[in-house]
Amino acid sequence: MFPLPKNKVKIIKSLCKGCGYCIEFCPKNVFERSTELNEKGVTLPEIVRGDECISCGLCVMLCPDFAITMEENPDE
Amino acid sequence: MSETIPTGKHFVHGDWACAEGAIAAGCGYFAAYPITPATEISEHIASRFPQLGRRFVQFEDEIGAIASVIGASFSGMKAMTATSGPGISLMLENIGLAVMTEVPCVIVNVMRGGPSTGQPTMGAQADVMQCRWGAHGDVEIIALAPQSVQECFDLTVHAFNLSEEYRTPVFLLSDANIGHMFEKLEIPAADEIEIVNRKKPQVFPPDYKPYEADESMVPPMACFGEGYRFYSTGLTHNEMGYPDMSVETQDKLVRRLCDKIRRNKKKINMTEETMTEDCDVLVVTYGVTARSAASAVQMARREGIKAGLLRLITLWPFPDWKIEELADNVKGVVVPEMNYGQLVREVERSVKPTPVEFIPKLGENPPSPDEILERIRRLAK
Amino acid sequence: MTEQIDYYLEDYLRMDRLPHIWCAGCGLGIILKSYVQALYELEYDLDKIVTVSGIGCAGRASGYVNTDAFHTTHGRALPFATGISTSNTDIKPVVISGDGDLFAIGGNHLIHAARRNINMLVICSNNFNYGMTGAQYGPTTPRDMRTPTSPYGNIENPFNLVSLVSSAGATMVSRWTVFHVNQLKNSIKKGLTKNGFSFIEVLSPCTTGYGRLNKMSPIDMMRDLRDTCKIRKVHPTEATIEPGKEVIIGDFVDIEKPTYADVLDQLTRRSTE
Ligand SMILES: Cc1ncc(C[n+]2csc(CCOP(=O)(O)OP(=O)(O)O)c2C)c(N)n1
Ligand code: SF4
Ligand code: SF4
Ligand code: SF4
Ligand SMILES: [Mg+2]
């Protein structure tokens, strides 16, 4: 379904509007709110438990702003 | 009848001729909602289109009909709708969209008496200003007025050609008299009918800017399904077709939309002159009223009055330059119309300070030749 | 410094137009995402799609998809799509528009497009209000809701969209929410491949309009969709939406009928016999 089988999520900071859906609904609690702001003043989420990601893709699907994508996990 | 273009002589009514004009012009999609006195166009198309593999859809209302016509035209079809005044009232918002997104289409208005439901079976010329100014915003359109069954055919073909050339809605302003009048129609051979097709893009899809125009001011038109993947919107848009709310973009776009027609006025305008070379009194009119006016001018000549007739075939863009030219040397201008004062205002504007006599006629028939003659006499004194 | 945007759906979107205009947490982004993800997973030929929309926040969806797309007038997306669908049967029109656009000003076109079984997919964002003009009540707003034009509470009864569209003759009718995003995407995939009039109602948070009026945050609204919506198989007339009650989502209709283009072709045969 997603480009590669075992992936790593990535936040596209300039597109995020800070709705918090990724933080709230990730089944593995991978995200948390950070203190970093993007250029539009949005408080960004950050990936704090990336290792626990199961690549379910929910955050990618639920992000209303195309601000989460998956890239190949360089460690695999 | 199964041939695409029934070349030869026919004795038919104007609505029939209009429908055949559309077929001859290559109209592939027609949508309408029944309304007197335009219904016969739908009826004739309903019997002819299926045989030719073309698409006729009787819509749930006129708003849907014109919307689908625009969708069909953007899908590469030549498309038309036909209605009367009340239907035009409903269509106006989408006619504005066709202007804004530059979609060729033909809109036939077989005019009847109004306001409101008015006189459904009786002719009028009272939607002349509506078609010009009805859609909101700064809009330029093209409108043609046939005076005979033959012209219902010829001008419908021409309306398609103009709409394709300028990427704009074109009105055919017929009326109940012409729509229902039986007359001889001669349909030319297919290869004698001039057909104009929209200009297509000559660039690869990634380089295509749907609203970028050269000096012709008319952008080449890609259609849906051709691989260009363009976006079109009724919002003010830049050359990519993307919404852009800047003042500069609005100014540039609206000027181009209007100027592509205004600056080609002389090319678009069609008029017919009878005995205008030496005339003292000029009659200016259009459509079915021009038939009365032609008789009146002849009667005046027999009385020794130098009367002439300028028949406007193109009503919009208004051929003011032509009227100015002719009005220079006349004592006065007579404008008969089947309304209570519409195109006469344009004529007055064009011929100032030459006196203008207006002959309004409300209900069914044009002013009679005698009524027109009477005014010619008055001005000739 | 502008960030290099590297997004796996970049061939499906007009990346030069992102970020989109919608508010933070607005469900419309998720609907758009589900649509392009469905196209991506189906490897759908983008040259065979026209995305059409009316006017409203939902109406802006057509402007972000890398297909031919047409942003039309308020309420009229369906007749435009009908003109497209009957003119070029290779093209699948996909209409993305709002509850107000499709059921208030455009309601008549909707029932007639369904009745004719025009081959198209209609994705209706139901956010229970006219989002773009400032959250006024509309044909889907629940009773008693206070909105800027119903300051004493809405006195009108809302439509049950899936029931209305089913009885008008649609060949596929489903209701999902933007929380049920994978089901939504699969439903869109089904609608894209179905030959006939397919309708998907998507319950979608209008975070700044409806959300603020209800004093709910975007996350509250998403939780609400998660907690109150249940997937069940019922007759569409039973799937009403009432505040405080369970909302039934899922597939309601999936039948086969000749499309309008099919019968037009039959008509050509009949007329030349
Ligand atoms: C003819 C016309 N009337 C009114 C409007 C103003 N208008 C724009 S969007 C809209 C409502 C849209 O509501 P909906 O379809 O539910 O879309 P949403 O914004 O909620 O996504 C209205 C009334 C308009 N654009 N055109
Ligand atoms: S879901 Fe998307 S827009 Fe919302 S906070 Fe997460 S990254 Fe940002
Ligand atoms: S892919 Fe699934 S597990 Fe991984 S971050 Fe996103 S929602 Fe969490
Ligand atoms: S007003 Fe409502 S529907 Fe419109 S973009 Fe904002 S949240 Fe979405
Ligand atoms: Mg809405």
Side-chain angles (χ1 to χ4, degrees):
Chain A
M1 181 171 97
F2 288 96
L4 297 155
K6 183 74 182 157
N7 306 298
K8 190 167 169 258
V9 288
K10 182 181 172 240
I11 298 169
I12 303 169
K13 292 176 182 175
S14 62
L15 293 180
C16 172
K17 291 189 186 139
C19 65
Y21 292 172
C22 51
I23 304 168
E24 174 73 18
F25 297 113
C26 164
K28 291 292 174 186
N29 276 313
V30 166
F31 303 88
E32 258 173 42
R33 195 159 299 279
S34 73
T35 50
E36 187 188 349
L37 303 181
N38 71 8
E39 64 263 43
K40 296 196 180 69
V42 168
T43 313
L44 294 166
E46 66 180 328
I47 294 162
V48 290
R49 282 172 286 273
D51 293 348
E52 294 186 25
C53 169
I54 51 169
S55 296
C56 69
L58 187 67
C59 57
V60 179
M61 285 302 290
L62 274 186
C63 172
D65 282 278
F66 305 93
I68 305 180
T69 185
M70 287 208 188
E71 53 181 29
E72 196 172 356
N73 191 336
D75 308 333
E76 305 242 337
Chain B
M1 203 162 88
S2 59
E3 70 268 57
T4 309
I5 299 179
T7 301
K9 292 193 176 78
H10 305 268
F11 190 71
V12 292
H13 56 70
D15 284 350
W16 194 101
C18 174
E20 284 298 331
I23 292 168
C27 175
Y29 183 92
F30 178 90
Y33 183 77
I35 185 168
T36 307
T39 311
E40 290 83 351
I41 299 176
S42 291
E43 290 175 352
H44 189 63
I45 295 235
S47 81
R48 291 271 282 137
F49 264 35
Q51 298 175 335
L52 303 171
R54 304 187 189 184
R55 303 301 208 194
F56 162 65
V57 184
Q58 180 170 288
F59 248 82
E60 56 271 15
D61 59 29
E62 289 86 348
I63 303 176
I66 182 71
S68 77
V69 159
I70 296 168
S73 182
F74 246 145
S75 307
M77 288 278 184
K78 291 188 182 177
M80 179 169 107
T81 182
T83 184
S84 193
I88 299 287
S89 296
L90 289 181
M91 288 182 186
L92 283 165
E93 185 193 14
N94 283 328
I95 292 171
L97 182 79
V99 169
M100 188 64 149
T101 55
E102 299 181 73
V103 182
C105 55
V106 174
I107 301 153
V108 180
N109 180 355
V110 188
M111 293 183 284
R112 63 189 226 182
S116 190
T117 313
Q119 291 190 303
T121 59
M122 294 179 191
Q125 296 178 314
D127 304 342
V128 172
M129 288 294 171
Q130 181 201 37
C131 86
R132 173 66 187 84
W133 296 109
H136 57 279
D138 282 299
V139 165
E140 287 279 346
I141 49 83
I142 297 175
L144 309 174
Q147 69 158 355
S148 61
V149 170
Q150 183 67 45
E151 280 192 354
C152 284
F153 180 92
D154 298 342
L155 293 184
T156 301
V157 175
H158 192 57
F160 273 99
N161 290 345
L162 288 169
S163 77
E164 294 282 317
E165 181 169 358
Y166 294 100
R167 286 188 64 176
T168 183
V170 177
F171 284 85
L172 186 83
L173 290 182
S174 171
D175 85 300
N177 292 297
I178 304 169
H180 289 164
M181 169 195 296
F182 275 80
E183 265 184 348
K184 195 187 89 182
L185 165 69
E186 189 156 359
I187 298 183
D191 57 7
E192 285 166 20
I193 300 172
E194 196 205 344
I195 301 292
V196 176
N197 293 313
R198 57 193 72 168
K199 194 165 59 184
K200 304 299 293 178
Q202 303 296 323
V203 295
F204 289 113
D207 301 326
Y208 179 56
K209 292 185 178 165
Y211 291 98
E212 183 182 54
D214 60 13
E215 59 281 7
S216 76
M217 287 179 281
V218 183
M221 182 172 177
C223 290
F224 297 149
E226 293 177 346
Y228 285 90
R229 296 192 200 162
F230 65 93
Y231 173 61
S232 182
T233 172
L235 286 165
T236 295
H237 45 269
N238 58 24
E239 291 175 342
M240 278 305 292
Y242 295 164
D244 179 345
M245 294 303 116
S246 72
V247 173
E248 297 74 38
T249 302
Q250 168 76 355
D251 183 88
K252 191 172 168 208
L253 176 64
V254 175
R255 278 177 198 271
R256 182 175 64 73
L257 292 177
C258 290
D259 288 345
K260 73 177 177 183
I261 293 179
R262 286 186 194 173
R263 295 213 191 132
N264 287 303
K265 182 158 68 177
K266 291 197 174 170
K267 216 174 122 200
I268 297 168
N269 283 168
M270 291 179 12
T271 55
E272 184 187 72
E273 292 172 51
T274 316
M275 295 181 280
T276 52
E277 312 78 35
D278 61 342
C279 69
D280 289 332
V281 179
L282 178 69
V283 183
V284 179
T285 190
Y286 54 95
V288 70
T289 306
R291 298 166 76 115
S292 264
S295 305
V297 165
Q298 260 163 12
M299 285 151 73
R301 285 274 168 173
R302 262 180 252 132
E303 290 180 11
I305 301 172
K306 286 185 183 165
L309 171 64
L310 175 69
R311 177 166 76 92
L312 309 181
I313 300 169
T314 316
L315 303 190
W316 307 112
F318 190 69
D320 47 5
W321 58 279
K322 184 82 208 166
I323 300 174
E324 267 167 48
E325 255 172 48
L326 295 178
D328 254 3
N329 305 314
V330 302
K331 293 182 182 162
V333 179
V334 181
V335 183
E337 288 184 87
M338 292 173 65
N339 58 48
Y340 202 35
Q342 297 202 11
L343 220 60
V344 63
R345 292 163 191 266
E346 291 293 315
V347 177
E348 278 166 352
R349 175 177 71 72
S350 319
V351 305
K352 251 179 194 152
T354 310
V356 175
E357 285 269 339
F358 173 54
I359 311 177
K361 180 67 174 46
L362 300 168
E364 194 160 23
N365 294 314
S368 70
D370 285 331
E371 282 172 273
I372 300 170
L373 176 63
E374 211 266 310
R375 300 298 182 97
I376 294 174
R377 285 192 194 121
R378 213 192 288 174
L379 280 174
K381 276 190 196 135
Chain C
M1 198 197 84
T2 49
E3 190 180 11
Q4 173 66 35
I5 298 181
D6 186 7
Y7 194 67
Y8 73 105
L9 292 175
E10 62 190 3
D11 292 343
Y12 292 76
L13 290 161
R14 295 186 188 273
M15 296 303 290
D16 54 341
R17 297 207 61 221
L18 295 182
H20 54 59
I21 63 156
W22 296 315
C23 309
C26 175
L28 283 163
I30 306 176
I31 295 176
L32 180 63
K33 161 80 198 185
S34 308
Y35 171 46
V36 290
Q37 179 78 25
L39 290 170
Y40 166 76
E41 289 179 20
L42 288 172
E43 295 179 36
Y44 207 101
D45 181 352
L46 295 187
D47 293 336
K48 298 276 180 283
I49 291 259
V50 181
T51 312
V52 185
S53 61
I55 300 292
C57 295
R60 292 304 190 97
S62 57
Y64 299 111
V65 192
N66 191 20
T67 66
D68 285 326
F70 197 12
H71 182 220
T72 66
T73 45
H74 194 23
R76 317 301 168 195
L78 295 185
F80 285 100
T82 300
I84 297 166
S85 182
T86 48
S87 297
N88 185 343
T89 46
D90 290 341
I91 294 177
K92 179 93 177 181
V94 177
V95 173
I96 306 180
S97 229
D99 49 321
D101 186 82
L102 291 167
F103 287 91
I105 189 164
N108 197 31
H109 303 307
L110 195 121
I111 55 177
H112 288 281
R115 175 178 69 81
R116 295 189 181 104
N117 196 26
I118 310 283
N119 178 29
M120 64 168 84
L121 167 62
V122 180
I123 303 170
C124 172
S125 155
N126 182 0
N127 58 11
F128 304 102
N129 73 144
Y130 297 130
M132 177 149 272
T133 45
Q136 298 82 5
Y137 78 93
T140 54
T141 310
R143 281 294 295 258
D144 302 326
M145 259 298 295
R146 284 172 199 264
T147 74
T149 48
S150 59
Y152 308 109
N154 179 21
I155 57 171
E156 297 184 12
N157 301 310
F159 273 142
N160 170 350
L161 303 187
V162 291
S163 170
L164 179 64
V165 182
S166 304
S167 51
T171 53
M172 178 188 138
V173 179
S174 302
R175 176 192 285 153
W176 296 104
T177 84
V178 294
F179 183 81
H180 299 79
V181 65
N182 285 311
Q183 291 98 324
L184 169 61
K185 177 202 69 193
N186 288 333
S187 188
I188 294 174
K189 283 166 84 171
K190 199 169 97 190
L192 282 168
T193 45
K194 177 123 191 152
N195 196 23
F197 187 89
S198 313
F199 176 82
I200 306 170
E201 174 185 3
V202 191
L203 307 184
S204 173
C206 168
T207 49
T208 44
Y210 202 80
R212 263 192 216 152
L213 290 171
N214 282 286
K215 302 189 173 57
M216 287 167 93
S217 72
I219 288 175
D220 290 340
M221 295 182 86
M222 288 294 270
R223 284 193 191 126
D224 200 50
L225 291 174
R226 178 188 64 194
D227 300 338
T228 58
C229 296
K230 295 282 167 306
I231 303 171
R232 284 210 280 123
K233 194 105 197 127
V234 298
H235 193 268
T237 51
E238 293 165 40
T240 54
I241 300 179
E242 289 161 61
K245 291 204 183 140
E246 174 184 288
V247 172
I248 297 169
I249 57 174
D251 296 324
F252 295 93
V253 176
D254 187 5
I255 55 171
E256 299 294 330
K257 271 201 280 201
T259 66
Y260 197 66
D262 295 337
V263 294
L264 280 173
D265 288 341
Q266 285 164 17
L267 186 67
T268 290
R269 263 172 263 130
R270 215 189 301 161
S271 69
T272 47
E273 262 161 27

XYZ file of all heavy atoms in Angstrom, chain C residues 167-209:
326
model
N -33.030 6.080 -2.659
C -34.358 6.028 -3.276
C -34.377 6.718 -4.631
O -35.240 6.444 -5.452
C -35.432 6.579 -2.349
O -35.045 7.832 -1.884
N -33.409 7.598 -4.879
C -33.338 8.226 -6.202
C -32.758 7.282 -7.253
O -32.809 7.583 -8.434
C -32.512 9.507 -6.135
N -32.167 6.173 -6.818
C -31.752 5.168 -7.789
C -30.258 4.933 -7.934
O -29.834 4.275 -8.883
N -29.456 5.444 -6.996
C -28.001 5.257 -7.108
C -27.634 3.782 -7.026
O -28.294 3.009 -6.331
C -27.290 6.027 -6.003
N -26.566 3.391 -7.737
C -26.177 1.978 -7.740
C -25.173 1.642 -6.636
O -24.926 0.491 -6.349
C -25.601 1.560 -9.102
O -24.561 2.461 -9.461
C -26.679 1.571 -10.168
N -24.571 2.664 -6.051
C -23.707 2.420 -4.890
C -23.881 3.572 -3.912
O -23.781 4.734 -4.306
C -22.242 2.329 -5.328
C -21.284 2.121 -4.164
S -19.550 2.249 -4.677
C -18.921 3.209 -3.291
N -24.193 3.230 -2.670
C -24.370 4.260 -1.647
C -23.665 3.809 -0.367
O -23.935 2.715 0.141
C -25.871 4.516 -1.344
C -26.019 5.586 -0.261
C -26.624 4.929 -2.603
N -22.776 4.643 0.133
C -22.062 4.332 1.370
C -21.936 5.579 2.220
O -22.044 6.694 1.712
C -20.653 3.805 1.075
O -20.714 2.663 0.269
N -21.716 5.352 3.492
C -21.412 6.480 4.394
C -20.196 6.099 5.232
O -20.165 5.024 5.838
C -22.596 6.764 5.314
C -22.288 7.875 6.348
C -23.345 7.968 7.434
N -24.577 8.589 6.964
C -25.782 8.342 7.496
N -25.913 7.466 8.473
N -26.850 8.954 7.031
N -19.205 6.968 5.234
C -18.029 6.769 6.080
C -17.715 8.081 6.775
O -18.455 9.057 6.619
C -16.835 6.258 5.254
C -17.114 4.889 4.680
C -17.430 4.596 3.395
C -17.163 3.655 5.405
N -17.661 3.241 3.255
C -17.500 2.640 4.479
C -16.954 3.290 6.748
C -17.633 1.299 4.851
C -17.070 1.950 7.107
C -17.422 0.973 6.167
N -16.655 8.071 7.520
C -16.233 9.325 8.156
C -14.749 9.490 7.877
O -14.078 8.543 7.460
C -16.425 9.305 9.690
O -15.276 8.676 10.278
C -17.682 8.552 10.106
N -14.233 10.680 8.125
C -12.801 10.868 7.896
C -11.977 10.154 8.966
O -10.772 9.976 8.798
C -12.404 12.362 7.820
C -13.028 13.021 6.606
C -12.755 13.100 9.087
N -12.613 9.753 10.046
C -11.853 8.940 10.997
C -11.661 7.527 10.453
O -10.617 6.916 10.630
C -12.544 8.895 12.376
C -11.723 8.129 13.366
C -10.662 8.748 14.008
C -11.962 6.776 13.604
C -9.852 8.026 14.871
C -11.156 6.054 14.463
C -10.093 6.681 15.107
N -12.689 7.016 9.770
C -12.617 5.645 9.220
C -11.931 5.693 7.861
O -12.503 5.336 6.828
C -14.018 5.064 9.120
C -14.697 4.977 10.447
N -15.289 6.068 11.056
C -14.858 3.934 11.298
C -15.793 5.693 12.219
N -15.541 4.405 12.397
N -10.709 6.143 7.901
C -10.070 6.596 6.679
C -9.726 5.448 5.720
O -9.785 5.616 4.499
C -8.865 7.492 7.042
C -7.804 6.699 7.768
C -8.312 8.205 5.853
N -9.408 4.287 6.263
C -9.082 3.180 5.350
C -10.336 2.627 4.682
O -10.316 2.313 3.496
C -8.294 2.093 6.077
C -6.856 2.544 6.288
O -6.192 3.014 5.342
N -6.384 2.481 7.527
N -11.428 2.546 5.443
C -12.691 2.134 4.838
C -13.135 3.155 3.794
O -13.627 2.787 2.729
C -13.790 2.003 5.898
C -13.595 0.844 6.854
C -12.953 1.291 8.150
O -12.101 2.185 8.164
N -13.344 0.667 9.252
N -12.936 4.407 4.122
C -13.301 5.468 3.177
C -12.516 5.307 1.882
O -13.078 5.329 0.777
C -13.020 6.838 3.805
C -13.105 8.039 2.843
C -14.493 8.173 2.235
C -12.728 9.339 3.581
N -11.226 5.097 2.025
C -10.379 4.944 0.837
C -10.817 3.722 0.019
O -10.908 3.790 -1.208
C -8.927 4.798 1.279
C -7.984 4.556 0.144
C -6.708 3.912 0.641
C -6.995 2.486 1.107
N -5.902 1.910 1.873
N -11.125 2.632 0.711
C -11.553 1.429 -0.027
C -12.888 1.660 -0.730
O -13.117 1.176 -1.836
C -11.656 0.232 0.929
C -10.272 -0.232 1.357
O -9.302 -0.038 0.614
N -10.175 -0.817 2.543
N -13.742 2.419 -0.081
C -15.027 2.731 -0.682
C -14.818 3.585 -1.933
O -15.480 3.387 -2.959
C -15.873 3.472 0.357
O -17.176 3.637 -0.076
N -13.910 4.520 -1.861
C -13.611 5.356 -3.034
C -13.040 4.483 -4.158
O -13.408 4.649 -5.327
C -12.641 6.504 -2.666
C -13.321 7.470 -1.686
C -12.167 7.252 -3.919
C -12.423 8.568 -1.133
N -12.197 3.533 -3.788
C -11.655 2.629 -4.812
C -12.782 1.870 -5.495
O -12.796 1.696 -6.716
C -10.667 1.631 -4.181
C -9.323 2.245 -3.873
C -8.478 1.379 -2.962
C -7.696 0.300 -3.667
N -6.741 -0.358 -2.722
N -13.734 1.432 -4.687
C -14.874 0.699 -5.255
C -15.685 1.614 -6.177
O -16.053 1.233 -7.291
C -15.755 0.165 -4.124
C -16.667 -0.961 -4.551
C -17.307 -1.627 -3.354
C -18.695 -1.055 -3.136
N -19.309 -1.467 -1.876
N -15.921 2.826 -5.718
C -16.686 3.779 -6.529
C -15.969 4.144 -7.819
O -16.604 4.366 -8.851
N -14.655 4.191 -7.769
C -13.889 4.535 -8.969
C -13.986 3.445 -10.028
O -13.926 3.717 -11.223
C -12.411 4.757 -8.611
C -12.049 6.103 -7.969
C -10.633 6.060 -7.397
C -12.167 7.231 -8.987
N -14.118 2.216 -9.593
C -14.153 1.110 -10.555
C -15.578 0.700 -10.912
O -15.787 -0.040 -11.857
C -13.385 -0.120 -10.005
O -13.764 -0.299 -8.646
C -11.900 0.114 -10.077
N -16.530 1.196 -10.163
C -17.933 0.851 -10.429
C -18.430 1.607 -11.664
O -18.132 2.783 -11.846
C -18.765 1.251 -9.212
C -20.238 1.027 -9.383
C -20.784 0.141 -8.304
C -22.187 -0.271 -8.649
N -22.519 -1.570 -8.065
N -19.216 0.924 -12.477
C -19.809 1.581 -13.636
C -21.237 1.969 -13.260
O -22.134 1.141 -13.281
C -19.778 0.611 -14.825
C -20.015 1.327 -16.145
O -19.791 2.537 -16.261
N -20.484 0.588 -17.132
N -21.430 3.227 -12.891
C -22.757 3.661 -12.463
C -22.651 4.840 -11.522
O -21.553 5.356 -11.275
N -23.784 5.284 -11.022
C -23.807 6.436 -10.113
C -23.481 5.963 -8.696
O -24.257 5.229 -8.080
C -25.178 7.104 -10.143
C -25.228 8.399 -9.371
C -24.921 9.602 -9.989
C -25.570 8.410 -8.026
C -24.955 10.806 -9.289
C -25.610 9.603 -7.309
C -25.304 10.803 -7.936
N -22.330 6.360 -8.205
C -21.897 5.950 -6.868
C -21.837 7.163 -5.963
O -21.377 8.230 -6.384
C -20.500 5.325 -6.917
O -20.418 4.397 -7.960
N -22.287 6.976 -4.741
C -22.362 8.103 -3.816
C -21.757 7.713 -2.476
O -22.136 6.700 -1.888
C -23.838 8.499 -3.621
C -24.027 9.597 -2.608
C -23.843 10.930 -2.967
C -24.387 9.304 -1.293
C -24.012 11.948 -2.043
C -24.562 10.321 -0.357
C -24.372 11.644 -0.736
N -20.822 8.515 -2.024
C -20.231 8.286 -0.702
C -20.403 9.545 0.132
O -19.886 10.606 -0.218
C -18.729 7.930 -0.798
C -18.514 6.735 -1.739
C -18.173 7.623 0.599
C -17.045 6.484 -2.083
N -21.158 9.416 1.198
C -21.261 10.512 2.166
C -20.110 10.360 3.154
O -19.889 9.269 3.671
C -22.612 10.430 2.914
C -22.727 11.457 4.039
C -24.014 11.324 4.870
O -24.808 10.392 4.619
O -24.207 12.158 5.764
N -19.401 11.449 3.391
C -18.283 11.388 4.339
C -18.534 12.391 5.454
O -18.562 13.611 5.207
C -16.939 11.722 3.653
C -15.796 11.387 4.613
C -16.783 10.981 2.343
N -18.744 11.885 6.656
C -18.919 12.792 7.789
C -17.560 13.393 8.102
O -16.573 12.669 8.245
C -19.488 12.042 8.995
C -20.763 11.245 8.718
C -21.299 10.626 10.013
C -21.840 12.108 8.070
N -17.534 14.708 8.185
C -16.243 15.383 8.174
C -16.292 16.600 9.067
O -17.224 17.400 8.980
C -15.960 15.792 6.717
O -14.821 16.589 6.640
N -15.316 16.747 9.974
C -15.380 17.902 10.869
C -15.083 19.224 10.177
O -14.090 19.340 9.473
C -14.309 17.601 11.922
C -13.429 16.580 11.330
C -14.177 15.873 10.235
N -15.979 20.178 10.366
C -15.662 21.570 10.055
C -15.183 22.130 11.378
O -15.977 22.422 12.262
C -16.895 22.323 9.562
S -16.648 24.105 9.484
N -13.873 22.234 11.507
C -13.316 22.527 12.827
C -13.555 23.964 13.255
O -13.869 24.223 14.407
C -11.812 22.216 12.831
O -11.212 22.830 11.688
C -11.587 20.721 12.768
N -13.453 24.897 12.319
C -13.623 26.293 12.749
C -15.081 26.711 12.792
O -15.442 27.589 13.559
C -12.879 27.285 11.844
O -13.101 26.917 10.509
C -11.422 27.340 12.141
N -15.921 26.110 11.983
C -17.331 26.498 11.981
C -18.110 25.693 13.003
O -18.330 26.112 14.143
